[in-house]
Amino acid sequence: SSRRADSIGESKALMTARLMRAITDDTTIEVYPQGLGPSTQERFLAGCDIVVDEIEFWNIGACIGMHQAARPHGIPILNGLTVGFASYVHLFESASMPVEELLGMSLEEASALEQRLSRGRASPVERERVMEAVLDAFIPDLPRYFSGPDGEQRNDFILRRLREEGKAPILATNPQCAAGFVANRTLLRMLAADARTAPRSIAVLPPTPGYAVFDAATFDVRIVESRPPPIRGSA
C-alpha cells in the first residue's frame, strides 16, 4: 500500500487510528501501540464478538498468546495473510486445531524465538524454524507465478526474500484486496446469527486446518476442507 513520507517510522497502530478517525467520528477506537502481550490481551479481547488476527509474520509468540487468551471466552479468530496476489483466511474456533499445534511449538518456545528474532540474535537455524512453521501453518501452498529454466513453476524468490531479508513479497495492490476478503468473511460470520430468519447462500469457511485462498493473479479460488499435518524437516 502507498505510504506518506511523514508516516515513515511512525507506529502502524497510531497511524491506522488517525486514518480511521479522519474518515469516521462515530466509533470508539482503542489503540495498543505497545502490542499484544500478557498485560494487554484481556483488555483487548474484552467484549469482542470476533477477532481478526493480523499480527506480524514473525511475531509467533504474540499470535499464540492472543489465541490462547481468546479461547476460554469462545471468541472466534480469523487469520488473514497475503503473499504476492494471494490471500489466505483461516478460521479458529472451538472445533479448530489450536494455533500452537498448527505452528508446531509451545507459547514458551514461540515467545523465546520471537524475542531472539526481534533483537537480531536468532541463528539461521532458528530463523528457518520460524519461517517454515509460519509458512506451513498459514501459507501451505505458496503462489507460483513464473517458470524456471527447466519449465517447472517455482517460488524460490519468495523463499529467498524471507530467508535473506525477513520479508515476504507483497504487491502494493493486494493488501486492500486481502483486507476486503477478510472483512467480508468477518461480516458474514457476524451475520450468521440471522441465518434462521433470513437464510443465505453463503459458503462455509471450514475451521483450521482447513482454509480458503483467493489469488487475484490466477483467479484461483479454493476452499480446502482439511490437509495432512506438515512434515517439518531440520534446517
Side-chain angles (χ1 to χ4, degrees):
S1 58
S2 61
R3 182 171 63 175
R4 291 172 48 186
D6 60 1
S7 71
I8 296 175
E10 294 289 333
S11 163
K12 287 183 180 180
L14 293 174
M15 287 303 302
T16 301
R18 290 171 191 160
L19 290 171
M20 292 175 65
R21 179 56 70 224
I23 61 175
T24 179
D25 60 1
D26 60 351
T27 57
T28 299
I29 302 172
E30 289 192 41
V31 186
Y32 296 83
Q34 72 274 44
L36 290 181
S39 63
T40 55
Q41 288 165 353
E42 289 298 329
R43 178 177 172 83
F44 176 82
L45 293 168
C48 285
D49 296 305
I50 190 169
V51 168
V52 177
D53 174 7
E54 292 294 335
I55 294 174
E56 291 283 354
F57 185 92
W58 300 102
N59 293 359
I60 51 176
C63 175
I64 292 177
M66 191 265 289
H67 279 242
Q68 289 187 349
R71 206 172 295 148
H73 303 290
I75 302 172
I77 296 175
L78 284 172
N79 174 284
L81 283 179
T82 175
V83 173
F85 291 101
S87 306
Y88 303 80
V89 178
H90 288 77
L91 169 64
F92 293 88
E93 54 183 0
S94 58
S96 306
M97 176 184 290
V99 71
E100 57 268 36
E101 183 177 343
L102 193 68
L103 287 165
M105 63 181 73
S106 66
L107 172 61
E108 292 73 23
E109 180 186 5
S111 297
L113 285 169
E114 180 182 321
Q115 286 294 320
R116 291 182 64 78
L117 284 165
S118 66
R119 295 170 182 171
R121 297 177 180 175
S123 69
V125 170
E126 290 172 326
R127 193 179 190 87
E128 187 85 6
R129 165 89 171 99
V130 175
M131 186 189 78
E132 286 188 358
V134 177
L135 289 177
D136 286 344
F138 298 122
I139 312 176
D141 48 356
L142 279 168
R144 298 164 182 259
Y145 298 131
F146 61 93
S147 300
D150 54 7
E152 293 185 357
Q153 288 187 314
R154 301 186 174 196
N155 48 40
D156 297 345
F157 174 70
I158 294 174
L159 295 173
R160 186 171 64 251
R161 284 207 66 189
L162 281 169
R163 289 189 178 100
E164 296 177 2
E165 303 176 36
K167 299 176 181 178
I170 299 174
L171 280 299
T173 52
N174 202 57
Q176 295 89 335
C177 180
F181 188 24
V182 177
N184 281 330
R185 292 310 310 187
T186 301
L187 178 59
L188 290 168
R189 173 83 186 196
M190 295 179 71
L191 290 174
D194 298 332
R196 292 180 182 177
T197 56
R200 296 180 174 91
S201 299
I202 297 171
V204 175
L205 180 62
T208 305
Y211 62 96
V213 58
F214 167 68
D215 194 311
T218 62
F219 283 130
D220 178 24
V221 182
R222 286 178 292 121
I223 296 176
V224 179
E225 296 289 343
S226 62
R227 52 179 155 145
I231 300 175
R232 296 188 175 96
S234 58

